[in-house]
Amino acid sequence: MSAETFSQLVTDVGLRIQKTDTAYKTKIKEFLNAAARRWVTRYPWPELLREFTITPTAGSSLVICPKDLDEIMTLYDPTNGIKMRSMNGTERLERYMDRTTVTGLVTGFSYLGEVGCNVQPASAGVLNVVSDSASDGAAFNILIQGVVTSERQFEEFTLNGTTAVTGSKSFSQVDRISGLAGRTGVITIKQGATILDTLGPQEDTIRRKRLKMVLIPSAATAFTAEGYQRFVPMSRDNDVPPIPVAEALKEYAYGKSLQEQRQFSKAQIALQTADALVQEIFDKGAIRSDRIEQSLPVPYPREDRQRGQRWD
């Protein structure tokens, strides 16, 4: 049996609550995504483990990770057969203080926070923003924060569908790109012909992991990371939930809809049922993947860990 799509989930909840108008379907979509995010960050789902390719820039110790990489478990260089050591910043400095400017094969890394843009401007210049959907108009704004003439400033761009909107400020650095979720298309942020990053329909901001490598890569050799995929809200009709909890998602969205109708007792039952169903689904999956769970290494420390229960 194939997985239920986002459109099917929305339709089922709407029929059950007897609200099928377009405006309320938008609310149902929000409920479904809120539930998915809630359970993705609560449990270490084996379904979210995957491989990612990370390609450094030769001569630079900083590496920006793919947007959908949430947490690294292992990182290795398949070309040279090196499994990299993960460490915190203090350990990295203590072990490699005398080699901070040395280039060579990368043998270790540490987490260096998150950045809000994949590619930085090559030089100061105006930015332009465009959607791939004509439906994204004046109701949606994109806010870009960064450095303009040595000062931190921001600029707001009012979307004009598939027509590019050009700003007036010359950014030499982009720190954050954000916008109200619920757009129809993918937003592309450029400087000239260079794509700096993209913002998905249900993304309200861009967050990318940044790594500090040791030694400094002498070549742009692709690395392979094994880790957890970041939750990306469903937006397209044919999107499917990232974890196998479709029935629980519908029950949760139904419960939130009942809350809006002030049917609090029924809502509480529905929400509790949804949580219990997810716990049951995860427990069954954890038993099947027990050998995988036991073999996973502990990742580098994170102060902002979302999946706190994973390492209890």
Side-chain angles (χ1 to χ4, degrees):
M1 182 178 177
S2 60
E4 291 185 76
T5 65
F6 192 35
S7 176
Q8 291 171 325
L9 296 177
V10 172
T11 298
D12 287 352
V13 175
L15 290 173
R16 187 177 179 189
I17 201 68
Q18 297 183 347
K19 282 182 172 288
T20 57
D21 58 281
T22 301
Y24 203 81
K25 281 185 177 181
T26 300
K27 284 193 174 184
I28 293 174
K29 291 178 180 180
E30 293 173 357
F31 295 152
L32 291 169
N33 276 316
R37 184 186 299 277
R38 168 190 176 93
W39 294 320
V40 161
T41 57
R42 179 176 293 184
Y43 302 100
W45 297 93
E47 290 82 359
L48 296 181
L49 275 172
R50 52 166 287 201
E51 287 189 345
F52 302 82
T53 298
I54 298 176
T55 304
T57 300
S60 174
S61 62
L62 296 179
V63 176
I64 308 300
C65 294
K67 190 165 50 173
D68 56 346
L69 173 56
D70 182 49
E71 188 171 358
I72 293 177
M73 308 306 294
T74 59
L75 182 63
Y76 57 96
D77 176 353
T79 301
N80 297 292
I82 299 174
K83 180 180 178 181
M84 299 175 200
R85 176 187 176 91
S86 63
M87 62 194 85
N88 59 36
T90 300
E91 181 183 1
R92 173 175 52 81
L93 289 174
E94 289 176 349
R95 292 173 61 90
Y96 296 93
M97 178 65 74
D98 59 340
R99 287 174 285 175
T100 56
T101 61
V102 177
T103 61
L105 293 178
V106 177
T107 57
F109 70 97
S110 63
Y111 172 69
L112 201 64
E114 293 184 335
V115 294
C117 188
N118 184 34
V119 177
Q120 290 296 326
S123 59
V126 296
L127 308 180
N128 63 76
V129 176
V130 65
S131 174
D132 64 1
S133 171
S135 300
D136 292 333
F140 297 101
N141 293 335
I142 301 299
L143 185 69
I144 297 180
Q145 298 169 280
V147 177
V148 178
T149 59
S150 302
E151 295 182 353
R152 296 201 173 275
Q153 297 185 26
F154 70 89
E155 186 168 15
E156 192 168 17
F157 295 75
T158 299
L159 293 177
N160 188 23
T162 56
T163 301
V165 178
T166 301
S168 60
K169 297 184 178 182
S170 292
F171 284 87
S172 58
Q173 178 178 312
V174 175
D175 298 324
R176 182 180 175 86
I177 301 170
S178 59
L180 183 66
R183 300 173 303 276
T184 302
V186 173
I187 309 302
T188 300
I189 298 90
K190 295 182 178 182
Q191 185 191 58
T194 302
I195 297 176
L196 304 185
D197 218 323
T198 60
L199 192 66
Q202 291 295 333
E203 290 182 291
D204 56 10
T205 190
I206 293 173
R207 294 165 49 224
R208 291 178 179 269
K209 304 294 181 190
R210 181 172 58 180
L211 306 179
K212 180 79 171 180
M213 317 303 292
V214 288
L215 305 173
I216 299 173
S218 56
T221 302
F223 302 147
T224 299
E226 294 180 352
Y228 282 92
Q229 182 176 348
R230 171 172 285 164
F231 171 68
V232 177
M234 296 173 285
S235 58
R236 313 282 188 179
D237 285 347
N238 61 348
D239 285 348
V240 295
I243 51 179
V245 294
E247 292 303 318
L249 289 173
K250 290 190 287 188
E251 192 68 21
Y252 181 93
Y254 175 65
K256 298 301 287 186
S257 298
L258 289 173
Q259 280 186 342
E260 287 212 333
Q261 296 182 3
R262 304 187 65 81
Q263 299 184 51
F264 298 117
S265 296
K266 289 183 179 180
Q268 184 177 12
I269 293 173
L271 295 175
Q272 289 175 345
T273 299
D275 275 334
L277 182 57
V278 171
Q279 182 69 61
E280 180 183 354
I281 293 169
F282 175 76
D283 287 345
K284 289 180 179 178
I287 292 173
R288 290 195 301 271
S289 61
D290 182 60
R291 284 180 295 178
I292 296 176
E293 291 286 327
Q294 291 182 20
S295 67
L296 290 177
V298 176
Y300 50 86
R302 287 178 54 190
E303 295 179 358
D304 62 336
R305 182 173 305 286
Q306 292 180 317
R307 297 187 181 91
Q309 296 183 9
R310 179 180 299 157
W311 314 112
D312 291 349

